[in-house]
Amino acid sequence: MPDRPSPDAARPAPLVAATGIVLDTRGRVLVLTTADGPDPQLPGGAVEETETPEQGLARGLREGLALGVPVGRLLAVDSRPPGPLGRSLIVHVHLVGPLSPQEAAAVSRNGAITAAHWLGPEEACAVLPARVAPRLRAALAALHTGSFAHLADGVPQPGSPAGLDPARRAALEHAGGLDAASHRASRPKALTAASVLFTAADGRILLVQPAYGRTDRWNLPGGGIDSDLGEIPRAAARREVREELGLDLAPGRLLAVNWSHKPGRPARIRFLYDGGVLDGPALARIRLNPTELLQWRTVAREELRTLVKGALRRQITACLEARARGTGPLELHEGRP
């Protein structure tokens, strides 16, 4: 007996499109002009019947810009009510890049694309059509907060984890307009980490060089707290030292808690513990995890300025003073008491 076609196949469906927020290493956004109309556009287009949004966007980048880079994470979804064609539209917005300078320079124009411009985010929002600019703003908010934006006709919805204006969020909260799940989704988030301050017998500070990210900046041993698994800061500090250095040492007392924040990004909270003094045999037992660290070294206090960023240098200095005086834990903001 032949298979019967599903009745769903004959039902009208929304149009689906995929848009790419293509960034370079300077944070600029790729904006296109096309022969199809006067308005600038973001890369992307309609998704064909057999494609996923990711596949459709990847095809559009290859065909329109000769750009064969991976399509990154989903930043936003925007749904629009039926327009002139009588069908609603669902737009998936994905991160693409950041492209290296070589990749950005190699972007070419094919088909209907007449020009490609690299613009700052605010400049890009100013030139894009009114229906497109809100998607870019919300997608960038989702990118910077490590979150996701839920839009309807370009407007962030109540409970959207990203893109919702803080004043609008506060008004909804005060009016009781958010259910418990939407309230949790839309509240600001913070990233938490735990670090350990070790010194050698001569007072020099133990620093480690990361194998990823900014390898030119040295750090204290430590890393992110797996709070989703119920890990507490002290346990995270011990785990990170064991994973990075191969030393299973219980952290000493808490020396400081540091709070740092940049506008539009999650706050960062760091718990700093006293690791004590490592003698020669203890230092000789260090075994680095090569997937995380390139090397370790001990440095004099005056060498910190050339090796670690200013905020961390201030945190280390404050912790050394708290350890010497037997004070603390200190409450620090960007390393300052």
Side-chain angles (χ1 to χ4, degrees), residues 90-314:
I90 298 175
V91 183
H92 287 230
V93 185
H94 285 265
L95 173 65
V96 179
L99 304 187
S100 68
Q102 295 76 16
E103 290 171 329
V107 168
S108 61
R109 304 186 303 276
N110 298 314
I113 298 174
T114 58
H117 311 277
W118 290 99
L119 305 178
E122 288 303 318
E123 186 180 3
C125 287
V127 303
L128 287 169
R131 69 183 185 280
V132 178
R135 293 180 198 150
L136 174 60
R137 288 194 183 94
L140 290 174
L143 170 65
H144 295 151
T145 58
S147 191
F148 173 82
H150 168 210
L151 311 177
D153 209 12
V155 178
Q157 295 302 289
S160 176
L164 190 64
D165 182 80
R168 171 66 173 153
R169 182 191 71 227
L172 289 166
E173 290 175 343
H174 296 157
L178 294 176
D179 58 79
S182 296
H183 181 266
R184 287 194 302 271
S186 60
R187 288 301 301 167
K189 310 300 189 292
L191 302 177
T192 55
S195 297
V196 182
L197 175 67
F198 292 106
T199 54
D202 58 2
R204 294 167 67 88
I205 303 145
L206 177 66
L207 297 180
V208 294
Q209 184 182 27
Y212 51 86
R214 289 289 302 271
T215 58
D216 60 321
R217 287 181 174 173
W218 291 66
N219 295 319
L220 292 174
I225 300 169
D226 292 334
S227 55
D228 57 333
L229 302 178
E231 187 174 53
I232 64 174
R234 179 173 294 276
R238 183 167 188 168
R239 173 183 55 78
E240 286 287 343
V241 169
R242 183 174 63 249
E243 291 177 354
E244 292 185 345
L245 303 179
L247 301 177
D248 188 13
L249 302 172
R253 69 185 184 91
L254 181 65
L255 294 173
V257 176
N258 183 75
W259 176 282
S260 62
H261 174 254
K262 292 182 179 179
R265 287 166 169 75
R268 293 176 177 268
I269 303 168
R270 186 199 300 261
F271 295 80
L272 296 114
Y273 293 92
D274 186 2
V277 177
L278 297 180
D279 58 17
L283 292 172
R285 291 199 305 272
I286 291 177
R287 297 293 182 268
L288 297 183
N289 181 343
T291 63
E292 296 196 29
L293 300 177
L294 297 177
Q295 56 181 319
W296 65 271
R297 62 188 292 189
T298 60
V299 302
R301 187 164 167 172
E302 56 269 19
E303 296 179 80
L304 292 173
R305 182 174 295 276
T306 61
L307 295 173
V308 303
K309 60 183 180 181
L312 179 56
R313 183 177 70 249
R314 292 191 293 271

